[in-house]
Amino acid sequence: MRILVFNAGSSSLKFGVFDTGAETVQVFKGAFERFRDGGCDFRFRRDARDEGGTAPHAGLPEAIAAVPGVLADWGVEGIAAVGHRIAHGGPDFAGPARLDEDSLPRIEALTPLAPLHNPANLAAVRLAIKTWPDLPQVGVFDTAYHLTNPARATTYAVPEAWREAGLRRFGFHGTSHKYVAVRAAEELGQKVTDLRIISVHLGNGASVCAVNLGRSMDSSMGLTPLEGLVMGTRSGDVDPGAFGYLARQLGLTIEAIETALYNDSGLKGLTGSSDMRDVEDRAAAGDAKAQLAINLYAYRARKYVGAYAAAMGGVDAVVFTGGIGENSASMRRRICDGLDFMGLRLDHDHNAAVRLADRAAPQIQALESRVAVIVTETAEQLQIAREVAAHLARPEPQRRPIPVAVSGRHVHLSAEAVEALFGPGYALTPGKPLRQPGNWAAEERVTLEGPKGRLERVAILGPLRKRTQIEISRTDSFALGIDAPVRDSGALDGTPKVRIIGPAGHLDTDGLIVAARHIHTNPEDAAAMGLADGQLVDVRIGDGPRALTFTHTLVRVQPDAFTEMHIDTDEANAAGLGGEGEGALVKERATVASGA
Ligand code: ADP
């Protein structure tokens, strides 16, 4: 499928045409840049033909209007869909979305969250709809990838009323982080879902992302693209107390402070130039301001890399991308030089010799380094093309009801745990069969004990597992006095310990979780509903006054599974659901853990 992708900013329009398939390849690359009175610069490339110069288009509308003519001149035909990069998708857009009269107002309402970026993105969408009224237009959001971040990463510790008004961390550059994480895993010959990767995107905007087992777990940008690293013109992290101080000392308004933090800070604020090449040249010539800027830039990035290694409990690979990450060997070296303590050591010759043609992703760590270090060009437009094609290929989901079952607290035991609790050689007695084939509730029960209290007669579900897992509700976690994280089944690393008591002994084991809600389904039902393994969907339960839509419900496709949604007792109570019930798929949240 041939897809035209737009990345529209306030001063530029970059676009590309891609053929998607087993491999996605770029067939045309174009840019109109530095819009100004009377014109702009342009650059077009197809195969070996490469042209640049000035064009008369002074703004986005003229530039977009010129695109059909450019494509015709360069012989690029057969566009089947248009993809758009959209900076902010807020909490709702967790995957690509058709841009139409339903979604556009919802995206427009997010403008206050990205006042510099969303208006240009949306202007391009409106103009593209006018120019290509018959083609599907699909938006891909910079924030979407990060909607899998846990609450502890997305919550600001501020008054409840502010949080209710929407103040939370989102994160950006998601398309880039997702692309480079998958590319790095490819280079390492491993699945992205088996790796802990720190993606360091250093362009004019810059952010670091912790990609834990294929999913974004945290990233350095927040509510807006202002938080985090030092950037070209943006400050990154500053003490929020600065607002009051500057208002009182300099009489500055909130608007003036915000504008300066976006446009006159970062490298520009420190040195007068927002361009790292300038700053590096000046530093080399002895300019003290430029030297401080470089030190500060690297120091901040290194702190985030260290922080995310701690957040993930380790790191397998660090990936550098973006104009600075791809091109500045000295900046990569400065960032990595302090990271020996966590087993990351650069090979300085490999670092200096990086060449990035043809999607290369060279490894530049030293032989003895425990952490891989990879450099690769980001390819946001290519990733957008892939996601648009995948979105359009997915059949419209059938709105058929999904049976809902309520899971009470229970444990899955390992063979060692059974011996510790019931005695050597003991075999559990399978009792009631469960609806998932081969699963049963045992006749035996156990007790859970925490610092605050006990939960008695807790069910044991069979068959035995490799690792013991204890699933409780949030309410139960307070009864025990142990905070349990919301986790997918099996994702037990770093989970808290709890004491399990059986008739023959007790066992202190990790594996205590609040199970993330999920839908079990089989390949046939999944195909009929348009669902994919790893996808997150929204499901509405009930239609009375307590009806609730459960967001972020993980789809798990397994051969022979009985199609059924599992929620816990807290969730069932909140939705006014007594025993079993039915849910309806509301809309897609097409965040998939791996691939595309
Ligand atoms: P954007 O975020 O706008 O896409 P880029 O990813 O193109 O920006 O990154 C632009 C930054 O990359 C600029 O600061 C530029 O100076 C820097 N850069 C490009 N080439 C080099 C280089 N060879 N050495 C150092 N910095 C470079």
Side-chain angles (χ1 to χ4, degrees):
M1 178 179 233
R2 184 159 276 191
I3 296 172
L4 169 62
V5 176
F6 281 121
N7 179 1
S10 52
S11 63
S12 69
L13 173 72
K14 295 181 186 160
F15 57 108
V17 178
F18 298 83
D19 284 342
T20 63
E23 279 274 310
T24 298
V25 288
Q26 181 153 20
V27 289
F28 181 81
K29 182 172 181 176
F32 292 109
E33 290 181 293
R34 294 206 312 127
F35 293 136
R36 53 191 181 270
D37 282 349
C40 68
D41 303 332
F42 75 86
R43 174 139 233 121
F44 305 133
R45 199 174 76 210
R46 181 171 194 186
D47 302 328
R49 185 177 162 204
D50 190 345
E51 288 175 16
T54 52
H57 321 306
L60 201 54
E62 299 94 312
I64 290 194
V67 171
V70 172
L71 296 180
D73 283 352
W74 286 68
V76 181
E77 291 166 349
I79 306 281
V82 185
H84 295 267
R85 176 182 181 187
I86 307 225
H88 215 307
D92 283 343
F93 291 96
R98 276 294 267 267
L99 299 167
D100 52 27
E101 289 317 313
D102 169 48
S103 63
L104 282 173
R106 287 163 51 213
I107 301 170
E108 243 145 32
L110 299 167
T111 298
L113 291 170
L116 293 190
H117 299 84
N118 270 27
N121 304 157
L122 284 168
V125 174
R126 297 258 181 224
L127 291 161
I129 290 174
K130 262 196 210 137
T131 313
W132 295 274
D134 299 328
L135 295 185
Q137 312 266 341
V138 179
V140 175
F141 302 85
D142 266 30
T143 44
Y145 188 50
H146 305 299
L147 287 182
T148 50
N149 288 183
R152 62 180 179 275
T154 60
T155 308
Y156 289 115
V158 295
E160 190 173 1
W162 298 9
R163 284 180 276 130
E164 277 173 2
L167 197 77
R168 55 160 280 183
R169 304 187 70 251
F170 287 100
F172 298 82
H173 287 142
T175 312
S176 171
H177 291 305
K178 183 176 180 182
Y179 170 82
V180 299
V182 170
R183 181 69 194 88
E186 245 171 43
E187 167 65 25
L188 294 171
Q190 280 178 273
K191 288 200 287 205
V192 71
T193 45
D194 288 338
L195 293 168
R196 293 162 301 179
I197 295 175
I198 298 176
S199 162
V200 186
H201 177 119
L202 308 175
N204 284 314
S207 70
V208 186
C209 180
V211 184
N212 190 35
L213 310 180
R215 292 192 197 181
S216 169
M217 188 174 127
D218 201 352
S219 71
S220 59
M221 285 175 168
L223 175 78
T224 70
L226 203 47
E227 194 177 328
L229 300 179
V230 176
M231 305 180 221
T233 65
R234 286 174 250 165
S235 61
D237 294 332
V238 280
D239 182 346
F243 274 76
Y245 178 81
L246 291 169
R248 286 187 297 274
Q249 294 301 116
L250 302 182
L252 295 180
T253 61
I254 288 184
E255 288 73 23
I257 298 170
E258 204 174 44
T259 304
L261 291 174
Y262 269 110
N263 299 329
D264 302 315
S265 301
L267 295 176
K268 184 175 172 201
L270 294 167
T271 68
S273 169
S274 64
D275 192 303
M276 185 56 93
R277 276 166 298 201
D278 279 354
V279 178
E280 287 189 349
D281 289 347
R282 287 190 213 177
D287 179 336
K289 285 184 189 170
Q291 289 170 352
L292 172 64
I294 285 175
N295 278 329
L296 171 51
Y297 190 100
Y299 178 63
R300 183 87 58 88
R302 191 188 320 137
K303 283 205 294 187
Y304 269 100
V305 173
Y308 288 162
M312 293 190 287
V315 55
D316 302 303
V318 173
V319 192
F320 286 98
T321 195
I324 298 168
E326 291 159 20
N327 296 302
S328 177
S330 66
M331 183 52 73
R332 290 193 298 263
R333 175 162 175 173
R334 278 174 195 281
I335 294 169
C336 291
D337 264 353
L339 298 175
D340 228 355
F341 76 95
M342 54 185 222
L344 187 157
R345 196 169 292 172
L346 220 52
D347 179 303
H348 298 308
D349 293 333
H350 289 168
N351 181 41
V354 163
R355 298 283 174 273
L356 295 182
D358 297 328
R359 293 186 69 223
Q363 299 187 39
I364 57 167
Q365 73 277 10
L367 212 53
E368 71 277 17
S369 182
R370 276 187 283 120
V371 180
V373 184
I374 291 173
V375 188
T376 196
E377 252 176 23
T378 190
E380 288 159 303
Q381 289 188 17
L382 180 137
Q383 178 69 17
I384 290 171
R386 281 180 184 170
E387 295 195 18
V388 170
H391 182 73
L392 293 174
R394 206 172 284 145
E396 273 293 298
Q398 282 175 14
R399 300 289 183 245
R400 66 156 103 159
I402 299 172
V404 179
V406 183
S407 304
R409 66 183 79 104
H410 62 267
V411 301
H412 300 276
L413 297 178
S414 67
E416 301 76 52
V418 172
E419 297 226 327
L421 299 171
F422 295 93
Y426 191 89
L428 293 171
T429 323
K432 193 178 116 198
L434 305 179
R435 276 204 281 203
Q436 294 308 324
N439 288 273
W440 38 265
E443 300 284 354
E444 295 82 355
R445 301 278 174 138
V446 287
T447 297
L448 300 179
E449 186 180 77
K452 180 84 176 73
R454 287 177 157 217
L455 299 169
E456 310 275 357
R457 294 195 47 72
V458 176
I460 305 169
L461 301 190
L464 299 185
R465 293 207 180 166
K466 277 215 189 84
R467 206 166 153 183
T468 295
Q469 172 168 316
I470 307 100
E471 299 182 33
I472 58 171
S473 69
R474 175 69 61 223
T475 304
D476 291 340
S477 81
F478 284 99
L480 289 174
I482 309 174
D483 189 24
V486 177
R487 287 282 178 92
D488 297 337
S489 183
L492 301 180
D493 286 350
T495 50
K497 278 195 167 175
V498 64
R499 173 162 294 187
I500 309 181
I501 304 171
H506 71 261
L507 168 76
D508 292 318
T509 174
D510 65 358
L512 184 72
I513 62 170
V514 175
R517 48 183 167 255
H518 52 274
I519 297 172
H520 289 287
T521 186
N522 52 61
E524 299 73 41
D525 285 0
M529 292 188 287
L531 298 178
D533 189 44
Q535 192 180 350
L536 297 173
V537 294
D538 292 0
V539 181
R540 185 173 173 82
I541 295 182
D543 46 16
R546 306 213 77 192
L548 256 187
T549 297
F550 288 100
T551 63
H552 297 86
T553 307
L554 177 71
V555 176
R556 305 181 59 182
V557 182
Q558 283 154 331
D560 302 326
F562 179 82
T563 296
E564 182 174 66
M565 172 165 171
H566 286 179
I567 57 176
D568 71 18
T569 44
D570 281 356
E571 291 169 319
N573 288 339
L577 192 69
E580 294 174 353
E582 281 186 345
L585 219 50
V586 177
K587 63 175 186 207
E588 289 174 83
R589 276 187 176 267
T591 307
V592 178
S594 60

